[in-house]
Amino acid sequence: SVLKTISALKFLEHDGYVILSESVFLPSRLMFTVGHEDVYRFQIENKAYDNIIKTILRSHGGAFDGFVKINEADLAKKTGFSYKEIVSFLNKLQSIELLTYIQQTDQPQLQFVRARVDMEHFDVDVKYLELRKEILLKQINAVVAYASSNICRSIQLLNYFDETNATKCGVCDVCLAERRTVNEVQLNDEIDFEIISLLQHQPLILDDLVINIKNGSENERVDAIRELLDAGKIKTDGKKYYI
Ligand SMILES: [Zn+2]
């Protein structure tokens, strides 16, 4: 996976095999891969390229010795070509191996800083690797513990920062769930109380009993009646409910 590859590269970087740079802007560069005379001959034989090659040589004398930074927009302005035409010219010159052209990039770069090592001499800092793994595992476990605990999130966080006298926030998911449970229990108690009160007054058929309860939805009322029946707190003869 991408993530695994990046991690592996970071470890290689730690051990000094490569250098990684994230999203650095690198300007376009070019270098002639043939000598002066070959370039000159090419210019004479390919008039279309004469202007652009002259312009490159005029502003980048060192292009025979190594890579020089170029600016396509600047070359376009000086030659009267468009930016796109300059890029396509340079690509063509590269394809016929007159020069090497590397277009500007802001992509991450990977650079090998050591000669190629065969697997037998390939050393990885195992201790460092294991330490990193241990630290990461601890961090992941801490996050999992935080997410799966049913202690107020705010209290957990403040505990993490050594503040031990924190109080429940009342707004996190744990606090809200707790409040919901308390409300439910309270509601059920109120419905039960109503049912008992109504039936103490007189036996009722199910419909009348349900209609006369003031708290809860119809389903909650019927559930409460069934629970009281199961618990033996109210009775029924199949028609009417009574105590
Ligand atoms: Zn909370």
Side-chain angles (χ1 to χ4, degrees), residues 151-155 167-176:
I151 297 169
C152 166
R153 307 289 176 215
S154 168
I155 290 180
T167 53
K168 286 182 187 176
C169 72
V171 290
C172 73
D173 62 317
V174 176
C175 286
L176 289 181

Side-chain angles (χ1 to χ4, degrees), residues 5-233:
T5 309
I6 291 174
S7 301
L9 286 171
K10 296 247 176 200
F11 282 111
L12 288 175
E13 183 177 38
H14 171 265
D15 290 342
Y17 287 100
V18 297
I19 290 177
L20 283 178
S21 50
E22 282 165 41
S23 303
V24 206
F25 174 77
L26 288 174
S28 296
R29 284 149 295 161
L30 69 75
M31 175 175 76
F32 286 105
T33 47
V34 296
H36 289 92
E37 283 166 27
D38 290 326
V39 171
Y40 184 63
R41 196 174 310 127
F42 178 83
Q43 276 177 274
I44 291 172
E45 288 165 8
N46 303 274
K47 280 286 168 211
Y49 292 86
D50 185 50
N51 191 7
I52 177 172
I53 293 178
K54 257 189 203 154
T55 309
I56 293 169
L57 291 176
R58 211 172 292 138
S59 12
H60 306 287
F64 284 103
D65 308 320
F67 279 105
V68 291
K69 290 177 197 168
I70 55 150
N71 182 335
E72 291 91 338
D74 196 40
L75 286 175
K77 211 188 287 170
K78 282 179 179 159
T79 55
F81 289 114
S82 71
Y83 183 94
K84 265 190 179 171
E85 283 170 324
I86 294 289
V87 172
S88 116
F89 274 145
L90 292 173
N91 280 324
K92 266 180 212 157
L93 291 175
Q94 167 156 266
S95 70
I96 58 164
E97 295 178 353
L98 200 83
L99 51 76
T100 301
Y101 169 49
I102 305 168
Q103 264 193 279
Q104 68 176 54
T105 178
D106 55 5
Q107 297 292 304
Q109 301 290 310
L110 172 68
Q111 205 182 324
F112 290 94
V113 287
R114 276 200 213 171
R116 196 185 161 135
V117 195
D118 58 56
M119 282 313 281
E120 269 172 51
H121 298 99
F122 180 70
D123 268 331
V124 171
D125 188 344
V126 178
K127 265 189 192 162
Y128 173 78
L129 213 112
E130 272 165 6
L131 184 69
R132 288 297 306 156
K133 198 173 166 187
E134 206 177 293
I135 292 169
L136 274 175
L137 216 62
K138 248 185 221 167
Q139 289 173 341
I140 291 167
N141 285 336
V143 173
V144 171
Y146 170 81
S148 52
S149 158
N150 55 0
I151 297 169
C152 166
R153 307 289 176 215
S154 168
I155 290 180
Q156 285 194 68
L157 278 179
L158 291 168
N159 278 344
Y160 182 83
F161 293 110
D162 295 326
E163 195 171 313
T164 48
N165 55 355
T167 53
K168 286 182 187 176
C169 72
V171 290
C172 73
D173 62 317
V174 176
C175 286
L176 289 181
E178 199 173 87
R179 195 192 295 169
R180 209 153 36 229
T181 311
V182 169
N183 287 346
E184 238 166 70
V185 170
Q186 212 169 346
L187 177 66
N188 282 337
D189 283 351
E190 275 164 21
I191 295 175
D192 285 356
F193 179 77
E194 279 193 274
I195 293 169
I196 302 290
S197 303
L198 285 164
L199 295 184
Q200 262 171 353
H201 191 62
Q202 58 175 323
L204 291 166
I205 61 164
L206 185 63
D207 285 352
D208 289 341
L209 181 55
V210 170
I211 287 169
N212 281 298
I213 299 169
K214 291 189 183 70
N215 283 295
S217 67
E218 202 176 303
N219 278 338
E220 284 166 338
R221 292 171 193 176
V222 172
D223 283 346
I225 292 169
R226 192 171 300 134
E227 273 167 29
L228 287 175
L229 210 54
D230 289 344
K233 288 180 182 164

